[in-house]
Amino acid sequence: MTNSYWPLVLDTLKQEVSAAVFRTWFSNIEYLKIENTGHKIVLEVPSGFNKKYLQNKYQKILLNAINRFYPRVIHIDFEVSKKVQANNEEQEDIFQNYNSKTDTKNQDFSNLKKDLEYKKSQINLNGNQLKNKNINYLNSKYSFQNFVELSCNRLAVSVAKAVLENPGKSYNPVFLYSGVGLGKTHLLQAIGHEILSTRPEFKIKYSTCENFFNLFITSIQNKNSKDFAEYFRSVDILLLDDVQFLAGKEATQEAFFHTFNELHQKNKQIILTSDKPPKHLIGLTERLVSRFEWGIVIDILKPDLEDRISVIQAKVKQQQIPLSQIQITKIARAVDTNFRDIEGVLNRLKARIDLLPDKPLGESELDSVLSGYESGSIVKINLSPNATTNLSPNNIVAKVCQSYAITKEEIFGKSRIQNVAEARQVAMYFFKSKLEFSYPAISKFFKRDHTTAMHAFKKIETRIEKDKHFKQRLQGLF
Ligand code: ADP
Ligand code: MG
């Protein structure tokens, strides 16, 4: 049995869970072996804690992904890595003692408690993070050399270049947003690499907001919040990724607010990324949102066919994947979502080609890889470009209410009258499909729980698929 499929299993998981969950729980699993004539897979995990967590929470998702490539497996055996076992036992202790430590001593941080609750549910604590002061977590893959300039990202690239020439002086802050997988992190880190090589005297810090949040919480626990403040406020350039993650985490927002002010006052460059423009970020305080708009707000657009072809060509060349121009165009047509999905397809194709190098990739094989994307992609409601640029939460609510002849109070209210309930579901559908709101964000906006938002989206999506008139009606809304 071979482990060549393991990267494909990881790839599948990547599509199914959030990036943070993937990184925390799946990215560090190692494939060891297949036993029992293919019925058992043995995996290595970094700690007993990971093992327990995977078994309790992600066993099913993991097994499903495994079965796509190892269909006979019915049992997963987790082995805890010997290398890091000692270190992690300590970590588990911290995790277990965590409740008692935090609850009593931080009563003056009422917001912090909420942030802690969140953290407890999400993340494995690591008390040593602040010690790694000088690690920038920059991925060498995310350089300018590997970043293809396209019509969808031209503006973002030109702003990045202006900042590189004049850090802190041209635009400050820079707020870059786009849908997932369109290159925000890549561009942000490319700026980091460029500064490191052209201005070695500059102190830069790249951090995801998730990491910012983790460090903040850990610093409070370890009573070294001064170190935390110092750590982020002593830089010349702060690159902060995924600010939407701070939504609802008020104490962390407060900490960031002070960091922001201090850096901005000293003309230190701040670059932020997010999945939405500042105004659409729900759960962020008004004063942060307004600061995000002080400098320049730019977006990376959805790539058109030409952009997608250019990226595929660059990646195929770089990774030496033998694909013809016709195949490249076919992939670009089928995968019209984002570059991450494109990379996923290329990885699968590369794995297949590496596995059987002498057998040319057949048309039907390519089709079967692509079919997942065509059938799996969201049924689309196409709006005119003009409508898309004017789309905002309020605008959607207003249009839907108008179309269903109901009031705003009704759409936000509790009524289950069919007409009102459907209007609410349609609005939720547009929040997800057009504004790319997460389910928790939608549920917050409509004051419902997030399974309601999920249910609404699925219901409307299915109906659009089946009911042409309904689809036309929605298309005509804007
Ligand atoms: P985001 O942060 O917007 O979700 P990423 O920066 O993680 O997106 O990009 C997703 C993947 O697509 C990454 O592997 C990245 O290298 C690749 N990518 C994105 N934009 C480009 C580009 N313009 N040229 C080459 N690769 C890109
Ligand atoms: Mg990113």
Side-chain angles (χ1 to χ4, degrees):
M1 230 351 138
T2 159
N3 72 351
S4 308
Y5 292 115
W6 184 246
L8 302 184
V9 174
L10 290 179
D11 212 34
T12 306
L13 287 163
K14 230 186 239 173
Q15 323 277 339
E16 282 171 18
V17 297
S18 73
V21 168
F22 180 81
R23 209 171 35 248
T24 315
W25 302 111
F26 296 109
S27 63
N28 45 21
I29 302 178
E30 303 263 353
Y31 168 98
L32 289 183
K33 59 192 165 197
I34 291 276
E35 285 181 340
N36 289 0
T37 60
H39 292 317
K40 180 162 105 180
I41 188 164
V42 186
L43 305 173
E44 186 180 84
V45 292
S47 72
F49 182 74
N50 283 51
K51 174 176 168 169
K52 268 185 252 160
Y53 205 87
L54 284 166
Q55 281 172 332
N56 290 338
K57 256 200 103 173
Y58 292 115
Q59 177 105 342
K60 211 165 148 203
I61 290 182
L62 188 57
L63 190 61
N64 279 344
I66 288 170
N67 282 153
R68 286 179 66 164
F69 303 94
Y70 304 93
R72 298 164 67 127
V73 168
I74 47 176
H75 180 76
I76 308 173
D77 213 4
F78 295 99
E79 274 185 18
V80 176
S81 162
K82 301 249 170 357
K83 290 171 274 181
V84 281
Q85 213 163 3
N87 181 19
N88 276 303
E89 270 159 18
E90 188 185 320
Q91 239 182 57
E92 278 172 50
D93 281 350
I94 299 174
F95 193 81
Q96 269 150 16
N97 294 333
Y98 168 68
N99 230 344
S100 52
K101 264 194 215 163
T102 50
D103 273 4
T104 47
K105 291 184 188 151
N106 288 308
Q107 274 154 359
D108 43 345
F109 289 94
S110 59
N111 289 331
L112 180 67
K113 262 181 132 181
K114 274 193 270 165
D115 288 15
L116 284 167
E117 282 302 315
Y118 178 87
K119 182 171 172 81
K120 192 169 64 172
S121 65
Q122 296 283 311
I123 296 152
N124 190 358
L125 279 177
N126 181 353
N128 291 326
Q129 289 183 67
L130 272 177
K131 288 186 191 149
N132 299 328
K133 269 193 178 183
N134 298 317
I135 297 175
N136 261 305
Y137 303 106
L138 289 181
N139 181 336
S140 61
K141 203 180 97 178
Y142 292 158
S143 63
F144 268 110
Q145 265 165 342
N146 292 339
F147 193 80
V148 189
E149 231 180 289
L150 304 158
S151 57
C152 67
N153 62 30
R154 195 143 292 142
L155 187 62
V157 172
S158 65
V159 168
K161 286 184 178 159
V163 163
L164 283 168
E165 264 175 37
N166 248 330
K169 300 203 178 76
S170 49
Y171 307 103
N172 204 15
V174 172
F175 189 99
L176 170 64
Y177 73 93
S178 79
V180 296
L182 294 180
K184 297 180 294 295
T185 298
H186 190 145
L187 188 58
L188 194 63
Q189 295 207 5
I191 294 171
H193 285 299
E194 196 65 18
I195 296 273
L196 282 179
S197 71
T198 55
R199 301 176 191 256
E201 75 282 9
F202 267 52
K203 236 175 128 180
I204 71 158
K205 177 59 59 196
Y206 165 86
S207 173
T208 59
C209 278
E210 189 181 352
N211 184 46
F212 183 89
F213 165 76
N214 283 337
L215 292 178
F216 172 63
I217 299 292
T218 313
S219 76
I220 302 285
Q221 283 196 303
N222 296 349
K223 303 199 180 59
N224 59 355
S225 49
K226 267 206 185 124
D227 286 358
F228 170 83
E230 176 60 23
Y231 177 69
F232 279 101
R233 292 180 202 174
S234 63
V235 299
D236 297 298
I237 300 192
L238 178 62
L239 309 166
L240 205 58
D241 212 353
D242 292 326
V243 295
Q244 75 276 3
F245 183 85
L246 296 182
K249 303 185 184 69
E250 287 160 29
T252 314
Q253 283 181 40
E254 168 105 21
F256 176 57
F257 180 75
H258 295 303
T259 306
F260 183 102
N261 287 344
E262 193 161 331
L263 290 176
H264 196 270
Q265 243 162 32
K266 291 192 289 192
N267 285 331
K268 304 298 185 187
Q269 181 72 50
I270 302 163
I271 310 181
L272 309 153
T273 76
S274 160
D275 64 352
K276 288 182 208 65
K279 277 210 170 61
H280 292 183
L281 286 168
I282 291 186
L284 255 78
T285 58
E286 198 52 43
R287 55 183 194 173
L288 262 186
V289 169
S290 82
R291 270 160 182 77
F292 291 164
E293 290 174 329
W294 274 358
I296 190 169
V297 176
I298 39 163
D299 60 347
I300 298 180
L301 306 169
K302 265 195 97 171
D304 60 17
L305 180 65
E306 219 170 290
D307 286 347
R308 300 195 301 272
I309 291 177
S310 306
V311 163
I312 299 173
Q313 277 170 334
K315 298 203 181 282
V316 158
K317 188 165 167 216
Q318 190 194 21
Q319 297 176 44
Q320 302 182 340
I321 311 176
L323 292 174
S324 70
Q325 190 52 44
I326 292 176
Q327 288 171 322
I328 289 175
T329 309
K330 191 165 187 177
I331 299 166
R333 278 191 198 287
V335 191
D336 66 352
T337 44
N338 61 55
F339 301 124
R340 190 168 299 150
D341 287 346
I342 286 180
E343 285 185 336
V345 165
L346 294 180
N347 285 342
R348 273 170 218 210
L349 295 174
K350 186 168 189 320
R352 148 63 187 87
I353 292 168
D354 288 350
L355 210 60
L356 301 167
D358 299 328
K359 183 167 173 263
L361 184 76
E363 213 49 31
S364 60
E365 281 181 287
L366 179 57
D367 287 346
S368 90
V369 170
L370 295 179
S371 69
Y373 284 86
E374 278 153 336
S375 63
S377 65
I378 296 170
V379 194
K380 287 192 196 90
I381 288 278
N382 292 316
L383 302 179
S384 71
N386 199 12
T388 315
T389 46
N390 290 330
L391 232 45
S392 69
N394 288 338
N395 173 256
I396 289 177
V397 169
K399 293 280 183 191
V400 172
C401 285
Q402 192 184 8
S403 163
Y404 281 83
I406 62 168
T407 63
K408 254 182 151 179
E409 285 69 35
E410 283 174 305
I411 206 167
F412 287 115
K414 297 258 174 275
S415 167
R416 296 206 185 155
I417 297 170
Q418 210 235 328
N419 188 44
V420 176
E422 183 177 310
R424 201 177 288 134
Q425 289 172 338
V426 166
M428 288 180 176
Y429 171 83
F430 279 116
F431 271 55
K432 176 86 190 143
S433 63
K434 294 296 167 197
L435 301 179
E436 297 185 3
F437 270 44
S438 64
Y439 290 122
I442 298 174
S443 60
K444 194 159 182 182
F445 195 87
F446 286 91
K447 302 200 172 55
R448 295 288 196 285
D449 73 82
H450 82 278
T451 51
T452 310
M454 267 160 91
H455 174 72
F457 180 80
K458 287 275 169 250
K459 191 164 168 196
I460 300 298
E461 188 186 38
T462 314
R463 182 144 171 225
I464 291 166
E465 218 171 333
K466 293 194 180 130
D467 182 346
K468 219 169 68 197
H469 297 293
F470 182 66
K471 181 172 175 177
Q472 275 166 1
R473 174 176 179 193
L474 296 200
Q475 241 151 8
L477 272 183
F478 297 92

